[in-house]
Amino acid sequence: MSMKIHAWIARQLPISRREAEKRVGDGIVSVDGSVAKIGQIINGDEKVTMNGQVIEASECQRRLLVMNKKVGWVCSMAEQNGQDSVFNYLPKLKKGKWMLVGRLDLNTSGLLLVTNNGYLSNCLAHPTSGFEREYLVRVSKEISPVMRKELLTG
């Protein structure tokens, strides 16, 4: 499967695509002995090195979890302002990393999908996928007809 070099590196190492792209831009990544370029497309069977160390291609087991996010948990990798991160409650992965399919606000609870498959995460979260989402909202004051229309249209 063809993909950009930084996306491939992020799949193999516990770093973000943005960090992988930075390392490619810094000139420390090589593909088959040549310095990699930002945006370069690879097939995954090339010899990729970073700082002279070979990055081994690995297929990790794809997983999809359903989580009941509690009020007070943040949907970010790190705790913020003393609030727990949802990632604190996920099983540890030997390879790859967890990705959230969408997000829920700090003061929101409910179903949250978590996967280690970036392609699946993007497909499920992107509006063009056509997956319908339904939300139950509690408000503290009466909603005007204009506000109601805005909520219903998204």
Side-chain angles (χ1 to χ4, degrees), residues 74-80 85-87 100 103:
V74 292
C75 288
S76 67
M77 292 297 286
E79 296 175 1
Q80 296 177 354
S85 166
V86 296
F87 290 95
L100 302 178
R103 293 174 180 256

Side-chain angles (χ1 to χ4, degrees), residues 2-9 39-42:
S2 298
M3 67 177 55
K4 291 186 179 180
I5 182 72
H6 66 278
W8 184 87
I9 292 170
Q40 181 174 343
I41 304 295
I42 65 168

Side-chain angles (χ1 to χ4, degrees), residues 128-148:
T128 58
S129 66
F131 290 110
E132 188 174 316
R133 292 144 176 96
E134 189 171 311
Y135 301 93
L136 175 64
V137 179
R138 185 179 349 173
V139 295
S140 60
K141 62 182 180 179
E142 192 170 332
I143 297 176
S144 72
V146 172
M147 290 170 69
R148 183 177 191 283

Side-chain angles (χ1 to χ4, degrees), residues 59-113:
E59 270 301 313
C60 59
Q61 180 183 8
R62 294 183 176 131
R63 299 176 71 184
L64 176 66
L65 304 179
V66 177
M67 172 183 249
N68 180 24
K69 182 203 165 293
K70 306 229 183 258
V71 171
W73 292 359
V74 292
C75 288
S76 67
M77 292 297 286
E79 296 175 1
Q80 296 177 354
N81 300 321
Q83 303 294 333
D84 269 343
S85 166
V86 296
F87 290 95
N88 292 346
Y89 300 95
L90 296 172
K92 302 295 179 222
L93 292 173
K94 291 180 182 172
K95 278 277 191 196
K97 60 188 171 200
W98 291 118
M99 293 164 264
L100 302 178
V101 179
R103 293 174 180 256
L104 294 173
D105 290 336
L106 176 68
N107 294 323
T108 304
S109 65
L111 180 110
L112 187 62
L113 297 176

